[in-house]
Every structure is written in structure tokens, then in C-alpha cells.
Amino acid sequence: MRGRGGRGQRVNNVKIELGLLSPRNLRVSDEWYTRFRVSWDPVSAPVQGYKLMYSPQGTDRYVDFFVGDVASYTLHNLQPGTTYDVKVIAQYTGGLSAPLAGAGTTLYLNVTNIETYNVDHDTFCVKWTAHRAATSYRIKLNPVHRSVYFQDLVINPRSTMELLAGYRKRPTTNR
């Protein structure tokens, strides 16, 4: 190095450390009930590959694994309706980069806005908001009194309301 104004002294053995480049621009797409795709812009330096980490938001239960030298990966076997913290880390022969962090959310699987109305002694109506991927609905009641019996109903996916009637006393067996 030379100083201002002409000849300066040379400085030898100066070590300048530069951080390892991190991936950039985390994106989440193709969200479904138990999966989503994580994509990122790769670094412009040679890497061994990328390490992916994810955990349900608000927990420290991270799952981490090496995904190779790719710029996207689909996470599977996730819980429906859950937001996950996601981190992507570049892996170099000399170490790991700082993480690129983001979040992804799986779709909610259950029905919503369940309401009962016209409630009477042995009948009532129930309605709900349709679920876009439903192939059928199952209504299961758990009566408070064990003597009341109700058989589960399976309803077609175009229906969003049902009249529930005809509670019966549970059959008794004579021994």
C-alpha cells in the first residue's frame, strides 16, 4: 500500500477477511396442504451446495439437510395451516455463509366458519364455508349423553349445510 503524496512504505502480511457470499431473494411458491417450494438466487461463487433449514414458526425444532447445488427445493410432509421459518445457507469448502431467512405457510385443511342454527330438542342445522379442495365432508357428533346415538354422515363437496335430525337412543343389548 502506498500513502498519499508519493512513495510510501509497502505493507506486507495484511489479511483482509471477506465473508462468504449468501444466497439472496428467498421465494416460496406452490403452497399446498403438506408442502411448498422454496427458491433462492444462487451465489456467484463456486459452492458445494446449499443447506436448507425449516421449523414451525415459534419453535426451535429445526430440520436441516443438504439439498445440493440447486436453486429450489420442495419441502414435503409439512403440517397443514402452519407457517414455517425457512433458512437457506450456502456451503463452501471453507465453511457456511450467513443464512437467508424467510417464511412459508401451508394451506389450511379444515373447514371454517362452522355455525349451528334452528336448534331444537332433537334436530339442528349446521353450515360452513366450502373448502376448495374438499372431495366430501364428514359430520361426526360426540353427544354429551352416552345414551344418544348419531351415525357419522358423509356429504358431497358441493353442500355447505345439512339438517341433522333423528337422534336415537343408543341400542341396548340384553344379556
Side-chain angles (χ1 to χ4, degrees):
M1 293 178 62
R2 300 188 188 267
R4 281 191 284 147
R7 280 186 90 123
Q9 293 181 331
R10 286 202 141 178
V11 178
N12 294 323
N13 298 326
V14 173
K15 184 176 180 182
I16 299 174
E17 286 191 30
L18 299 175
L20 299 171
L21 295 174
S22 296
R24 299 175 57 149
N25 193 21
L26 182 81
R27 300 172 303 282
V28 173
S29 61
D30 302 333
E31 297 94 338
W32 198 240
Y33 302 97
T34 58
R35 70 178 184 266
F36 56 73
R37 176 174 288 283
V38 179
S39 304
W40 57 90
D41 293 342
V43 298
S44 58
V47 294
Q48 291 180 316
Y50 295 89
K51 180 178 175 181
L52 194 57
M53 301 174 67
Y54 67 95
S55 173
Q57 207 166 54
T59 71
D60 291 342
R61 295 177 291 156
Y62 276 94
V63 174
D64 63 12
F65 51 95
F66 183 74
V67 295
D69 193 5
V70 296
S72 69
Y73 189 85
T74 300
L75 295 173
H76 291 275
N77 300 317
L78 303 176
Q79 294 299 310
T82 303
T83 299
Y84 288 85
D85 290 325
V86 178
K87 296 178 183 179
V88 180
I89 301 167
Q91 185 169 321
Y92 296 88
T93 54
L96 300 173
S97 73
L100 169 64
T105 303
T106 53
L107 299 181
Y108 188 69
L109 187 56
N110 295 325
V111 296
T112 56
N113 301 321
I114 297 174
E115 293 180 38
T116 57
Y117 59 99
N118 293 344
V119 177
D120 202 349
H121 178 69
D122 63 351
T123 63
F124 69 93
C125 295
V126 62
K127 66 180 178 177
W128 57 90
T129 300
H131 191 282
R132 70 180 187 182
T135 56
S136 65
Y137 297 105
R138 178 179 171 204
I139 296 178
K140 179 177 180 68
L141 295 180
N142 293 319
V144 173
H145 300 286
R146 293 180 187 239
S147 64
V148 175
Y149 174 74
F150 184 84
Q151 184 173 349
D152 294 359
L153 290 177
V154 177
I155 302 167
N156 91 45
R158 291 180 301 282
S159 179
T160 57
M161 67 176 62
E162 188 71 20
L163 168 65
L164 303 177
Y167 290 105
R168 299 183 304 237
K169 293 283 187 188
R170 184 176 299 280
T172 57
T173 57
N174 295 329
R175 291 186 190 209

